[in-house]
Amino acid sequence: MSRMSSVAEKRNDRTERYDRGRKFNAYQTIESLQEYVLVSTDDYLVEHFRRDGDQWLYSKAQGLDATLALPSMSCELPLREIYYQVDLTA
């Protein structure tokens, strides 16, 4: 686990506090980790935390037409693909 550069996890109301708190604090101690991504199960929303020196920068991509940029992997992911065959309107 010490050589990972990105972590992506699904987030819901039940796990949100833990995901943003203790778990994220633990992940920040992994020197190789550059990005932490939380994928919402309640909305078409992906939150992105990116390491910038000693700070973590926050951004979000919201809506099926949005795109998530992952600089550590040199890629971009459309939310439409992340949420492929997921209907959150029900």
Side-chain angles (χ1 to χ4, degrees):
M1 188 156 117
S2 63
R3 295 187 51 86
M4 71 174 130
S5 64
S6 299
V7 171
E9 299 182 330
K10 68 177 183 151
R11 177 196 63 78
N12 60 45
D13 290 340
R14 190 173 51 88
T15 64
E16 181 172 13
R17 186 173 170 189
Y18 177 69
D19 292 340
R20 293 178 185 281
R22 293 170 109 185
K23 187 187 290 186
F24 185 39
N25 287 336
Y27 283 152
Q28 291 179 51
T29 66
I30 302 170
E31 290 184 25
S32 64
L33 187 67
Q34 297 298 307
E35 297 177 292
Y36 180 49
V37 176
L38 293 172
V39 179
S40 175
T41 59
D42 302 319
D43 191 12
Y44 298 114
L45 170 68
V46 178
E47 297 177 280
H48 178 248
F49 298 87
R50 180 177 58 86
R51 187 187 301 264
D52 183 21
D54 292 336
Q55 300 180 37
W56 286 84
L57 305 177
Y58 172 83
S59 64
K60 69 180 180 179
Q62 189 166 17
L64 290 176
D65 294 326
T67 300
L68 172 68
L70 297 169
S72 73
M73 293 192 221
S74 301
C75 74
E76 293 185 353
L77 294 172
L79 266 63
R80 191 168 303 283
E81 289 184 23
I82 294 171
Y83 286 98
Y84 179 70
Q85 294 187 337
V86 175
D87 182 7
L88 298 178
T89 60

